[in-house]
Amino acid sequence: MASSTIDNFLEEVRRLLHEKDGVKLQDVMLLEPPLPPSYHLLVGELRASFPEGSEDALLAKCASFLPEFDADDDDRDGGGSSPAFASFAVKYFAFLRDVDVDDLVETHDMLKNLLNQAILALSSSMGLVILPTVISFSRTLARLAIGLDKRPELIAHLVRRESFFGSEEAAERVTLVEASANVIREAFKKCLSERSGPQSGIDSNGKPAGRRVGIYITANICLKLFFHCRKLRSAEQIFGNIYQQSPPLSLFPASQRVTYLYYLGRYLFANSHFFRAQLALQEAYDQCHPDCLRQRRLILIYLITSNIILGSFPAPELLRRQEAIGLSEKFLPLCSTIAKGDITSFRRLLDLKSENADWFLRKRILLQISNRCEILVWRSLARRTFLLSGSQGDTTNKKAATLDLKDLLALGIYLESKVLSPNSAENAPKPRLHTNSVFLNPTSPSPLEISGYTDPDFQKLGLPDAPPDLPTMPVIESLVASLVQQDLLHGYISHGAQRFAITGAKLTVTALEAGFPAVWETLTEKADHEVPGWVKNGKGIDGETLPTQARVIKLTGARPAGAPPE
């Protein structure tokens, strides 16, 4: 028979569907080269018997072999009917027949269309059987999309085409990676919206019911792509959907838990929720297998950064672990400058020309370190200034301990001057001043006065004053006020005396302890321990029973309260 190889393939697929063996079906639906010799025979037979343009005949052939099965509850448009799976088989055959692996862009488009058809078949009663194949195709599409994105010369014509036909909002165009993620996200939605089984989404064995087993693995593939193309808003939708509808994360395999918590921590870190990021990343690190050194190192980079921002430095024992090799050279100098209050070294470490800053930038943690750790450097400088020249007060006579802000200003000017000194002017960064200083220094010269030229159109326009290069007393006062507001200093400022008075000192509590509370304890006590996106309720890993996750209940057709039954 001319189509014996095709017949044998379809017969095998039908058998696996009847047996509901999704894993073996995934092993049969191969895509990536090198393919076994039998698949080369299959491709040759497809090209001979069903060349391009004979899809209708191929659809009839597939439909005659594949079993009949009913649409699932969430199949509203017929996408889960038997013809939908037959159409998926046709797309698969067409992919094998027409693909040219040397043309990666065309291969990507064909694979994206094939995955779209496979996702349609997910809505059927055979959806759980097809799910492993959908996941396999999604991984292949993700790898191909990222590979193409790393070779811009291959997709340059797509960018030019989008720019030519696009609107003025070309900056918001959907990239190739994002388009791939959007296709895979449809599979995630199918898994998340599974209606079969208990309302809690957990079967009698304590496992996710039905297609829900694919929630986190499809979400993780999407998140990998969204983070690659820096579309965090799309990632936010994934986290929000999971938080509202998913069974507890603890019910899923460890690899999926660790990957999801890593991306959740990265998302929270990027949005400045550092304590929540620390909670997710710490859990991911604790659950990650000790042999997965690359994954543990990735988690550790963002976990250490989150902890430093919160005032907790990495222990030497942690930095001696195998996955932390080389991290001490990156983070220990930063920790040392923060602890010492060394503004000069802090500026130089984070200068874009420095080796460490370049590494921080590539890991996307430079801005967070620069913006959030500077205030900790000033706190340490204020603490050291108090130890050197501060008045310790007298608790017996109720005389408060004070810090002379003029001393802090003198040290700040000295350290910032070192950054601007002639010996380091070429390589040193310009000092950064606290944002509040622009509201507290109305007498500094404006940019117009400095330049000596004013455009005629702007002669009557009042512009904000530019802060000076070196700190002034209003800058120091704004920094201290910010520390007080964040509870990192306890006391108040006397603007007339230009001193900071420490409150809370007692016979049992020294002025240093009262005025300079521990940063980690202060920040974590105020933080919210609830992590949006992390579903913890339900039955945990150890079998303990927890409250069921709240779910949306539709009240369509509900009778008013007190109404008699119909």
Side-chain angles (χ1 to χ4, degrees), residues 555 557-566:
L555 298 178
R559 298 188 304 273
E566 296 180 355

Side-chain angles (χ1 to χ4, degrees), residues 9 13 16-17 20-32 85 88-89 92 111 114-119 121-122 126-141 143 184 187 191 214 217-218 221:
F9 184 88
V13 170
L16 295 176
L17 289 174
K20 298 185 176 181
D21 193 338
V23 176
K24 289 187 178 179
L25 180 63
Q26 171 194 340
D27 295 337
V28 168
M29 309 291 281
L30 297 178
L31 288 178
E32 298 183 69
F85 188 86
F88 163 58
Y92 175 75
L111 180 55
L114 173 61
L115 180 58
N116 260 323
Q117 192 63 50
I119 292 172
L122 267 182
M126 289 289 180
L128 187 59
V129 182
I130 305 166
L131 181 59
T133 302
V134 171
I135 293 172
S136 175
F137 288 4
S138 299
R139 285 171 168 161
T140 303
L141 180 64
R143 286 196 299 271
I184 300 171
C191 296
I217 193 168
T218 52
I221 298 173

Side-chain angles (χ1 to χ4, degrees), residues 21-93:
D21 193 338
V23 176
K24 289 187 178 179
L25 180 63
Q26 171 194 340
D27 295 337
V28 168
M29 309 291 281
L30 297 178
L31 288 178
E32 298 183 69
L35 295 173
S38 59
Y39 283 78
H40 294 292
L41 294 175
L42 177 62
V43 170
E45 199 168 291
L46 285 169
R47 291 172 178 171
S49 303
F50 299 97
E52 187 176 357
S54 58
E55 277 70 19
D56 291 342
L58 187 56
L59 177 60
K61 180 78 170 178
C62 294
S64 65
F65 274 83
L66 297 178
E68 295 291 336
F69 52 92
D70 298 326
D72 206 351
D73 293 337
D74 62 349
D75 177 32
R76 300 182 180 88
D77 57 359
S81 62
S82 182
F85 188 86
S87 298
F88 163 58
V90 170
K91 281 283 186 183
Y92 175 75
F93 284 142

Side-chain angles (χ1 to χ4, degrees), residues 271-286:
N271 285 276
S272 301
H273 297 292
F274 299 109
F275 181 66
R276 288 172 171 173
Q278 188 272 340
L279 293 176
L281 292 167
Q282 184 67 60
E283 187 71 14
Y285 184 75
D286 292 342

Side-chain angles (χ1 to χ4, degrees), residues 192-312:
L192 192 65
S193 61
E194 172 70 272
R195 296 179 181 177
S196 64
Q199 186 180 9
S200 64
I202 306 172
D203 62 19
S204 57
N205 297 320
K207 301 294 183 181
R211 294 192 305 262
R212 296 180 182 89
V213 297
I215 289 176
Y216 284 96
I217 193 168
T218 52
N220 289 338
I221 298 173
C222 290
L223 291 171
K224 180 178 182 179
L225 294 174
F226 286 138
F227 272 82
H228 180 84
C229 63
R230 305 187 183 187
K231 298 290 185 178
L232 296 188
R233 183 172 298 179
S234 298
E236 180 181 2
Q237 296 174 1
I238 297 283
F239 296 128
N241 291 338
I242 284 179
Y243 197 52
Q244 292 297 324
Q245 302 181 55
S246 173
L249 178 63
S250 59
L251 303 180
F252 292 80
S255 61
Q256 297 178 30
R257 298 196 304 268
V258 170
T259 304
Y260 178 77
L261 288 173
Y262 165 72
Y263 283 118
L264 178 59
R266 286 280 309 275
Y267 168 78
L268 293 168
F269 180 90
N271 285 276
S272 301
H273 297 292
F274 299 109
F275 181 66
R276 288 172 171 173
Q278 188 272 340
L279 293 176
L281 292 167
Q282 184 67 60
E283 187 71 14
Y285 184 75
D286 292 342
Q287 295 189 26
C288 190
H289 196 278
D291 293 337
C292 300
L293 297 180
R294 179 176 175 273
Q295 289 77 9
R296 288 173 67 86
R297 181 180 179 84
L298 279 174
I299 298 169
L300 198 57
I301 289 172
Y302 298 95
L303 177 58
I304 289 176
T305 308
S306 298
N307 282 331
I308 290 175
I309 292 173
L310 294 169
S312 177

